[in-house]
Amino acid sequence: MGRHEAEHISVANRITVKIDEKLAGTRFTRPRLPKLKKHAFRPLWGFLFSTSLLLVSVVDPYSGTIASADTLVFSGESELPEETYGFAQTQTISYARGGFNIVTGSEVTAMFVADAGVPQAGTAKAYARDFLTQVELGGSEQYSCLVKLWERESNWRYNAKNKSSGAYGIPQSLPGTKMASEGADWLTNPETQIRWGIKYIKGRYGSPCGALAHSDKKGWY
């Protein structure tokens, strides 16, 4: 025991003495608690600290910056969320350096899409960009979402085929014969595939950014 501890009575000991004096002459006695060393509380403090961090993450997972540019969490309000998400009515898009921030849904969910830039004339991407304008889905942000989506699906190869599912073409139509509605040459013509793919996206998800958001969540669109 150090000199300071020997000459100075601690606050806890003073309180204990006062309690004993008050209880003297009564039938009550102060309960005797076991003495615990300071290090005995370390596991408790560690548990409380870890729990507090977990609660902060659960209550406000977006209190800091998003962990990844591709992070996306959202919930659909439809009875069949795998079929209808309605992003066309809820998404907002803002310009960011080198790309676009897409925020969609009522729970403030976001992801970053790099600006795809202007495609080379005469390519499949150039045709897709022009066709987006024809169906009133023009704009750099929607084109950039389409580029990212179809790079993920097929890398823009007209003859891409999924060995497990049988999905085919640039938009990965399942089955590929669905694209025959846009032309008998759907098997080899990227423009036929693109027309079908963009119409499918517009009808089901409202926009390429809506389809990309679904793909980010589910792994398909």
Side-chain angles (χ1 to χ4, degrees):
M1 179 179 292
R3 180 180 177 183
H4 179 83
E5 294 183 18
E7 295 180 356
H8 294 80
I9 301 175
S10 66
V11 175
N13 287 337
R14 293 177 185 175
I15 294 174
T16 300
V17 171
K18 292 293 185 181
I19 293 174
D20 288 338
E21 290 177 354
K22 293 293 183 180
L23 295 177
T26 69
R27 61 188 183 88
F28 300 103
T29 58
R30 177 174 56 83
R32 306 297 178 179
L33 299 176
K35 294 183 178 180
L36 296 176
K37 295 182 179 180
K38 292 182 180 180
H39 67 268
F41 290 96
R42 290 176 183 172
L44 176 60
W45 288 120
F47 172 77
L48 293 175
F49 180 73
S50 301
T51 303
S52 63
L53 288 179
L54 178 61
L55 289 175
V56 169
S57 298
V58 171
V59 174
D60 186 10
Y62 298 102
S63 57
T65 57
I66 294 178
S68 168
D70 292 327
T71 299
L72 176 68
V73 180
F74 64 88
S75 59
E77 297 179 356
S78 168
E79 293 181 359
L80 295 175
E82 70 277 6
E83 294 185 359
T84 304
Y85 277 76
F87 284 112
Q89 290 75 36
T90 60
Q91 68 185 20
T92 58
I93 301 173
S94 60
Y95 181 77
R97 180 176 295 179
F100 303 89
N101 286 318
I102 300 175
V103 180
T104 182
S106 60
E107 297 182 356
V108 189
T109 58
M111 68 185 204
F112 180 80
V113 179
D115 186 0
V118 179
Q120 184 178 352
T123 62
K125 290 181 180 179
Y127 181 83
R129 194 171 191 268
D130 291 341
F131 193 73
L132 283 173
T133 301
Q134 292 181 37
V135 296
E136 300 180 347
L137 288 175
S140 298
E141 70 282 354
Q142 295 298 339
Y143 170 68
S144 297
C145 284
L146 186 69
V147 169
K148 182 173 183 176
L149 176 65
W150 283 353
E151 281 181 349
R152 173 187 299 171
E153 293 291 327
S154 63
N155 201 24
W156 287 79
R157 291 182 294 114
Y158 73 87
N159 59 351
K161 185 175 182 178
N162 188 303
K163 294 181 179 179
S164 59
S165 68
Y168 186 83
I170 293 174
Q172 286 294 279
S173 171
L174 182 64
T177 53
K178 288 183 178 180
M179 295 184 289
S181 61
E182 289 298 322
D185 58 351
W186 62 269
L187 197 65
T188 57
N189 191 336
E191 294 184 0
T192 300
Q193 296 179 1
I194 289 169
R195 288 196 304 273
W196 180 89
I198 290 177
K199 288 180 179 179
Y200 165 78
I201 287 172
K202 183 179 181 180
R204 188 161 186 176
Y205 302 105
S207 68
C209 290
L212 178 61
H214 182 280
S215 177
D216 254 45
K217 174 65 176 179
K218 297 289 187 178
W220 56 272
Y221 77 105

